[in-house]
Amino acid sequence: MAPNSNGAAAPALAVSTVIFTLRTCETGEMKLAIALVKRIRKPFDGLWALPGGPLNINEDLSATAARNLFETTALQPRYLEQLYAFGNLDRSPGSNLADRVVSIVYWALVGSDEAAAAIESENIRWFEADQLPQLAFDHNQIVGYALGRLRNKLAYARIAHSFLAETFTLAQLREVYEAVLGRELDPGNFRRMVEGDGIVEPTGERLAGTRHRPPQLYRATNTATGETK
């Protein structure tokens, strides 16, 4: 750790990522899940933690986040955004200022199809976001912050489409909202909300392979994505 201008040790910088996806639980419901890695060295040997690593001197923050994710989980998320910086003095109990680490935290949203292709082993697992074990460092606090940010952003930025394919039904979109918010939504009110807000538009196509009248397919609009198509 290099000294700062006062001669004291400067904190090290690390990049961690909260990875959200939707997974089907044993009851058949879709639940919000987070990927965690098991630590295999001190401190917190054996505890689960967010994937991450030190910031390389020759990499941008986002590049480090993306590289760490790919090396750890083989994931390349479509949505990756800087969340917050965590650097409280007590975030690593038992360490001294010479071992201080400031973490720049990103959050990523991945579709279920992408998550299914992620690396899983005894040291890399998906956990339900609302039922996490005690994590290393201050990672429970970080996840709690990320959950609050995700749920708030769902209300005004309409990022639910990041969990879905390019086209989707309103039922699939509602399922995303319900999984993230942790509560059921009235289908009629939900339809009126998303259509009234202009965050989706019909594609003119319908979902194939259903027994009854196939539901209409939608896609996210520029209002929802903030992008120009």
Side-chain angles (χ1 to χ4, degrees):
M1 187 175 294
N4 60 24
S5 58
N6 296 322
L13 291 176
V15 178
S16 299
T17 305
V18 185
I19 313 167
F20 290 112
T21 194
L22 298 180
R23 289 171 67 88
T24 304
C25 66
E26 294 179 356
T27 63
E29 296 177 284
M30 294 294 286
K31 295 288 187 178
L32 191 65
I34 292 175
L36 298 175
V37 297
K38 184 179 289 186
R39 288 186 59 81
I40 56 175
R41 62 181 180 273
K42 295 181 178 181
F44 302 107
D45 185 17
L47 290 189
W48 294 94
L50 296 170
L55 174 65
N56 283 349
I57 193 68
N58 60 346
E59 277 187 322
D60 291 335
L61 288 169
S62 59
T64 297
R67 177 182 54 77
N68 283 338
L69 274 187
F70 184 74
E71 291 177 352
T72 305
T73 65
L75 287 170
Q76 295 178 292
R78 295 186 293 259
Y79 185 98
L80 183 65
E81 179 186 351
Q82 190 175 136
L83 177 69
Y84 200 68
F86 292 81
N88 290 345
L89 291 175
D90 61 351
R91 67 183 307 263
S92 182
S95 64
N96 54 49
L97 290 179
D99 300 319
R100 186 179 179 193
V101 178
V102 174
S103 286
I104 311 300
V105 180
Y106 279 73
W107 60 322
L109 309 181
V110 298
S112 300
D113 55 338
E114 296 174 281
I119 295 173
E120 286 192 70
S121 69
E122 62 178 348
N123 292 325
I124 305 173
R125 280 180 48 194
W126 292 96
F127 290 80
E128 286 189 27
D130 288 317
Q131 297 185 19
L132 297 181
Q134 179 61 45
L135 305 182
F137 304 104
D138 55 354
H139 290 189
N140 287 92
Q141 176 190 349
I142 292 174
V143 172
Y145 185 92
L147 274 171
R149 179 72 176 274
L150 174 61
R151 285 164 175 159
N152 287 334
K153 196 161 186 175
L154 194 70
Y156 69 83
R158 315 304 187 189
I159 59 173
H161 67 280
S162 299
F163 289 110
L164 298 167
E166 185 175 349
T167 62
F168 46 82
T169 68
L170 288 187
Q172 291 170 333
L173 183 62
R174 189 181 77 251
E175 194 171 37
V176 171
Y177 273 74
E178 291 177 336
V180 172
L181 297 175
R183 57 185 173 86
E184 293 185 2
L185 301 173
D186 178 77
N189 289 338
F190 180 79
R191 174 184 287 272
R192 286 189 288 273
M193 184 269 290
V194 296
E195 291 182 340
D197 286 353
I199 63 173
V200 298
E201 61 186 10
T203 64
E205 302 175 347
R206 292 185 177 273
L207 184 66
T210 59
R211 289 186 177 181
H212 306 291
R213 186 169 184 263
Q216 189 166 214
L217 288 171
Y218 290 77
R219 59 173 166 253
T221 64
N222 293 352
T223 301
T225 62
E227 299 172 350
T228 301
K229 293 185 179 180

